[in-house]
Amino acid sequence: MATNQLNAWDFAAIAIYILLVLAVAMYSLCRSNRGTVSGYFLAGRSMFWLPVGASLFVSNIGTEHFIGLAGSGAASGIGVGAFELNACILLQLTGWVFLPVYIASGINTLPEYMKKRYGGQRIRVYLAFLSLLLYILAKISIDIYSGALFIQQALGWNIYVSIIALLGITALCTVTGGLAAVMLTDTLQFFIMICGATAVMILSLKEVGGYENLKIEYMKAIPNETLNSPNSTCGYPREDAWQMLRDPWNSDIPWIGFLLGKTPASIWYWCADQMMVQRVLAAKSLSHAQGGCLFASYIKLLPLFIMVIPGMVSRVLYTDEVACASAETCMEICGSSTGCSNIAYPKLVLGLLPAGFRGIMLAVMLAALMSDLTSIFNSTSTLFTIDIWKVFRIRCFKKEPSIRELMIVGRFIVIVMVVISVLLIPVLKDMQSGQIFFYLQEIGSYLAPPIAAVYLVAVLWPRGNEKGAFWSLMAGFVTGIIRMILDWTWRSPPCWGEDHRPAITAKVHYMYFALILFVVTVFVNIIVSLLTEPPEQFQVIRTTYWTRYSTVKRPDDGEPPPYEEDGIELENTESLSNGAVVEIRKEVSCCKKGYNWFCGFDDSVKGRLENQKFEDRLKKINTLKQDKRAKIFLNINLVVILGVATFCYIFFSV
């Protein structure tokens, strides 16, 4: 077994990785169409299926997945892999049901879709603020914590210096090139992550004598502390560790609760979360978007094997540390009194891999951290700029902001998010939970079902109206917040602790609560909608699944926005008598030239003509036209991936 000491080859691997990421970011900086809203926030809608699928995968798989999936695998077995198989199915719901509606409606953000579907601004602004809150409290905080945990285990560096450096590089990638830079770096990081994680899986299985031997050794992985205390029941592997979907009433993953409760909660993440949907909206056509969903689904079959299984191997190899069985021992090992399963993956990488490979795997973890953070920062920028800042400017100043202003605000909010993230670090050091991944699922089950329910009703039920959607969101939010406060006040105790939780949290599993919350939200939406006036007829044009192909013109279908230069249109041109347009060149300061290059602005006649071509291409994308052969190929793969995911559920559960 290797030592934990990093050497020159390890640091060289890390340096090469950082240089590659910066090179991709600089390439994106030189791309055109970064100076438009769709160009910056949706990558010019020019991405083909590979970067779309790769970006979907790595935006989902952050350090919390490496740390969390492996940690849950070490603590409770393969059950956590069910969440990954669930994603394979829900991605197809995105590609075949939700996405055609989003594209046909011509939106840039999901709250913007709600405005088109229902009218008014309150749902749009509320969903934007709620998404920002979720990003800050759940996604960014957990990413930073898990990344800091790995860096601390690997390098022993000062956490603050390491995280600030990572956040700085991440912000650079996002601020300079927008979504194009994010998706291109995601594609690079995708290959690094898959290759590195696969190598760890192969080496770890080889260390324990293969998969079949792991099934035997895992059940024997009991810490010495437990063996020396005959009366202790802590530290033993779960009897159902090798079963994915488990007993419906007395288990951590009840199969009824998972299928009926966790699935609706996950609809928000895959079908109605700006961070994920933004990737597929960046595709050059519906076919490429659906191809990206399929590609991401095939890759989502891998985390069970390349993350969960290595976590179980780590328990076998480092039983006394990973499976510590008392608060005192765990506190001494990892600084947490609730358990140390979160160190399973870092422990495996540092203890098993030879020199050089440890640096590569650290680069993999950096890739996971940065890809997740770039995705979050870009989505935050999009939501704040389009759904909050634009609405604020129009309402308070009675004037729509220029494209240049939107680009400045979009980049500035990324910097603000970096600052907030750094300020959260002292809080995150004390926020460790026994299993990060299940903590994330709990948070989603409290806040996500109402959002999922509202989007599902909006897309599938034309009779739903704004009042029904808004009041159902309010009812769901209040109900979810009450449960979340109760869970935070009375946390689930570790094995050796006493359970003092109230019955609503102790007896009602969070997956069953998600089901109840989803049903309540849908019920309120339907009742209020039926008791109030129906939506205007034009509001359902191309905003529901049943009307996505409609060619009827909507009153709010404006002409494509002209190319703006701080609100001045075509200022530097003159029309000749024959109708031709000539450009009048004016002196521009060096500072303004540099700023225009940084933001991707091109106010020349050629630049404006390119933007007009871009707008014409967007109209073609919004028609949802697909090649017949491509459509058949995609539908065949749709059936295949649904069949494979279902088979895996059955195979690992029976």
Side-chain angles (χ1 to χ4, degrees), residues 449-519:
I451 304 175
V454 166
Y455 274 97
L456 204 60
V457 171
V459 169
L460 297 179
W461 192 45
R463 178 60 178 82
N465 63 19
E466 194 270 350
K467 289 184 176 67
F470 179 77
W471 289 113
S472 65
L473 278 172
M474 294 300 102
F477 178 75
V478 171
T479 307
I481 284 293
I482 291 174
R483 170 63 189 258
M484 185 170 71
I485 292 173
L486 290 174
D487 266 12
W488 282 2
T489 305
W490 290 280
R491 294 300 298 166
S492 175
C495 171
W496 50 83
E498 294 184 18
D499 195 346
H500 300 292
R501 294 176 295 167
I504 185 64
T505 59
K507 303 299 183 183
V508 181
H509 194 281
Y510 71 86
M511 293 184 187
Y512 287 114
F513 177 79
L515 173 60
I516 296 169
L517 189 56
F518 181 81
V519 172

Side-chain angles (χ1 to χ4, degrees), residues 45 54 82 118 147 170 317 349 402 560 607 629 638:
R45 290 192 168 172
Y118 292 124
T170 303
L317 298 179
V349 168
S402 67
R629 287 176 295 181
L638 170 66

